Structure formats: C-alpha cells, structure tokens
Amino acid sequence: MRILIIGAAGRLGAALVREYQDKFDVTGFNHAQVDLSNFDQVREKLDSANFDVLINVAAFTKVDLCEVQPEEAFHVNAEAPRLLAEICRDKNARLIHFSTDYVFDGEKREPYTEKDEAKPISVYGASKLAGEANVLAAGGDHLIVRVSWVFGPDRTSFIDAMIKHAQENEKVEAIADKFSAPTYTLDIAQMLPCFFNSNADGGILHFANVGECSWQQYAQWALDCCHRLGVSLKARMVRARKLNDMANWIARRPVYSVLSTVKYAKLSGISPRAWREAVADYIKRFYSAK
Ligand SMILES: NC(=O)c1ccc[n+]([C@@H]2O[C@H](COP(=O)([O-])OP(=O)(O)OC[C@H]3O[C@@H](n4cnc5c(N)ncnc54)[C@H](OP(=O)(O)O)[C@@H]3O)[C@@H](O)[C@H]2O)c1
C-alpha cells in the first residue's frame, strides 16, 4: 500500500509518518514541498507521484488568523481539498481528508454524530466544512475524518502549554465552560489503516478519545499525571476561567463539540480508549524522563 501524506511536518502528519514508515510505502510532503495555496505545484507534484491513499492533514489551522485572512483560509481549507479529491478520483486513489469539531456550532449537549447538521461559527470552521463538501462532491472513494483537540509529541498543543506553565508559575488557569475530547495523534494513526480500503458509509467519520471534559479538567488531569510521575511542578491546581474572559480571541469557538465515536466503534469493532488514559500514556512517554 502506497501512502502519500500532505502536511507531514504538522502535529498529526509527523505522527502518521512515524507510525506508518515501517508498515507501508510512505512518502510525506511538508509545507515547503507541497504548498496547498499553489495549485500548479500541487498538480505537478501529485501527477508525478504514485499512491493508493492520499492523507491530507495540511490545513490553515490558526483559528483566529482565519478570521482576518478568510480568502487564504478558504483557498487552503476548502479549494485545495477539492483539487486533491479530483486528482485522487482521476488516479483511482483514495483521499482521506481531516476535518474538525469546529464545523459544529456547539449548541448541542450530547456528542455530535456524523448526521448532525454542521453550522460553523468561525471562518476556520466554515472553511473546513466547505472543504468537506468539496471533497465529497468531487466523487471518488474519499473519506472525511473529523477529530477534536488533537495532541501529540510532534508540535506543542494546549496540554504542553499547560504543563510548561505549571512548571514555571504558581498559578495556572484554564477555561471551565468549553467542552470536547482530547485526541492523541498516536490513537488516530493506529485507527486509520482500518479505513485505507473500505469506506465509512456516508463518507464522514468522527474519531476522538472517549469521554468529555473542559479545558480546565483536561489541564488538571495533565498536572495530576505529571505529579504522579514525579515531574516537578510549581502549580498543582488549575483554576477556572470563563470563555467570556478570552478577550484576545478573535474567532468564536463552539462551547460543546464532543464527537460521537459510535459509528467508528460500529465499523471498526473497537472503541477508542478514554481521553484520560490517552493523556496519561502521552505524559508517561514524553514527560516522565524530563
Ligand atoms: N490541532 C487540533 O486540535 C485539531 C482539532 C480538530 C481538527 N484538526 C485538524 O486535523 C488536521 C491536522 O491538524 P494538526 O493538529 O496536525 O495541525 P498543524 O500541526 O497546524 O499542522 C498543519 C500542517 O499544515 C501545514 N500547512 C499550513 N498551510 C499549508 C499550506 N498552504 N500548504 C501546505 N501545508 C500547509 C502546516 O505547515 P506550517 O506549520 O509550516 O505552516 C502544518 O505542518 C487539520 O486538518 C486540522 O484542521 C486539528
């Protein structure tokens, strides 16, 4: 199986390359090698490449910057995926395109299923939703995988920022009124091969570690795990902040964006592990020796 990964130097992309390099014939393109805003370059690179599955994890992911650069956001997050889907269709290859929980408005109070209507409240969310629609409209055997609150060792994310903050400061705060589920890049990398050949009915699949939490609960669990492993911290407790306190945010974010993994469990026969277990595993692997 020949796998091509676009966005190979990002948080998820680097994890996919690492996990697949000994199992598949993998090629990874980073931003400099394939720039999704340069369609001629994309066509040229992909026309000369041979692959069975193209995984696109490249995206304009800076949520606030998308608000001020909407044209670029739609170009990279919506128009480029259309081009990728058309190229894959013509080459008889499968596109697996990653999307986000931010396609939802956050008004629900129970996990969002693949059948729930997506109503984004930010340019980022709208551009990613348009990308999904463009991929599905291109025809071909493509799959959209929506994930939430992605963390892993290849690029710092919320959890790493919280741990660093707690190592350097006595006071740590995190938002207590915004909920989703952290998702480990390793778990995404391990679940995906199950979908290299077969499609998920309807073309959209949600994947996240199981359960839900606020950012405060997520950060508190990370500090608890660090403490248990003997990682030295100046702060042990995470105090609550409110979403409304985030005056410097430009984009609106959904207050509740937990993704249901019922469909995934039905198709794969496996339930993702709980987010607390995944976070504890990550901290044990990457913080206990520090
Ligand atoms: N991180 C999360 O919490 C989260 C949550 C839900 C969904 N997702 C989705 O999951 C996927 C992977 O996200 P991630 O966490 O791995 O994000 P990431 O670390 O920001 O990686 C995105 C990658 O895309 C590259 N990129 C940006 N603009 C590009 C362009 N025009 N052409 C080519 N490459 C470009 C970036 O390169 P540079 O850094 O060099 O710009 C980066 O390597 C994305 O589709 C994202 O929307 C992420």
Side-chain angles (χ1 to χ4, degrees):
M1 176 86 64
R2 296 159 304 173
I3 312 287
L4 185 65
I5 298 172
I6 296 184
R11 186 178 298 114
L12 181 53
L16 298 182
V17 171
R18 186 172 47 252
E19 189 64 19
Y20 300 157
Q21 61 196 357
D22 297 331
K23 298 178 183 129
F24 304 100
D25 176 355
V26 180
T27 306
F29 286 142
N30 64 24
H31 194 158
Q33 291 166 309
V34 168
D35 182 351
L36 288 184
S37 58
N38 181 344
F39 289 5
D40 289 338
Q41 188 207 37
V42 171
R43 271 192 212 96
E44 192 190 313
K45 286 274 183 167
L46 295 192
D47 277 351
S48 58
N50 292 313
F51 52 89
D52 303 300
V53 178
L54 173 64
I55 303 174
N56 179 37
V57 280
F60 187 173
T61 54
K62 296 187 176 81
V63 176
D64 288 317
L65 200 57
C66 286
E67 295 294 314
V68 289
Q69 296 180 2
E71 275 179 25
E72 193 178 344
F74 272 85
H75 197 67
V76 172
N77 291 344
E79 294 309 321
R82 183 209 308 272
L83 176 60
L84 298 181
E86 289 171 353
I87 292 171
C88 286
R89 179 199 60 205
D90 295 346
K91 283 172 102 67
N92 219 7
R94 179 167 173 70
L95 173 63
I96 299 182
H97 174 69
F98 273 82
S99 190
T100 170
D101 54 327
Y102 277 27
V103 298
F104 294 112
D105 63 8
E107 294 301 317
K108 238 183 136 181
R109 290 297 173 267
E110 58 187 56
Y112 282 94
T113 74
E114 291 81 353
K115 289 191 173 150
D116 280 318
E117 190 188 352
K119 285 188 246 165
I121 55 173
S122 64
V123 170
Y124 170 69
S127 67
K128 293 291 289 184
L129 182 62
E132 293 182 2
N134 289 342
V135 167
L136 296 177
D141 191 20
H142 305 324
L143 177 67
I144 309 289
V145 182
R146 292 183 184 141
V147 289
S148 62
W149 291 8
V150 178
F151 69 92
D154 300 287
R155 198 172 271 202
T156 56
S157 63
F158 172 81
I159 181 171
D160 310 291
M162 287 290 117
I163 294 170
K164 185 167 189 287
H165 199 76
Q167 287 174 320
E168 295 170 355
N169 302 277
E170 272 154 26
K171 189 174 153 199
V172 177
E173 294 179 328
I175 292 167
D177 55 355
K178 180 180 182 336
F179 302 87
S180 193
T183 306
Y184 192 0
T185 52
L186 174 66
D187 294 29
I188 300 172
Q190 289 179 344
M191 77 85 178
L192 206 57
C194 171
F195 298 94
F196 283 175
N197 285 311
S198 64
N199 211 343
D201 167 42
I204 298 179
L205 186 70
H206 289 178
F207 184 83
N209 284 116
V210 164
E212 57 188 67
C213 59
S214 68
W215 272 348
Q216 183 203 16
Q217 290 167 318
Y218 179 16
Q220 185 61 60
W221 177 246
L223 298 197
D224 291 348
C225 292
C226 284
H227 181 67
R228 224 172 288 143
L229 287 164
V231 178
S232 110
L233 300 171
K234 284 191 179 160
R236 278 280 292 117
M237 296 304 293
V238 181
R239 297 188 208 179
R241 285 194 81 176
K242 283 195 183 320
L243 201 50
N244 282 343
D245 296 340
M246 302 308 291
N248 58 343
W249 278 357
I250 303 169
R252 287 178 66 210
R253 275 115 166 128
V255 298
Y256 182 95
S257 58
V258 180
L259 299 173
S260 164
T261 54
V262 169
K263 179 175 174 181
Y264 166 74
K266 208 179 276 178
L267 289 170
S268 68
I270 305 163
S271 183
R273 61 181 163 169
W275 71 265
R276 285 182 190 276
E277 195 187 324
V279 167
D281 183 19
Y282 171 64
I283 290 175
K284 193 169 167 208
R285 283 170 195 250
F286 296 100
Y287 283 91
S288 54
K290 288 182 187 171

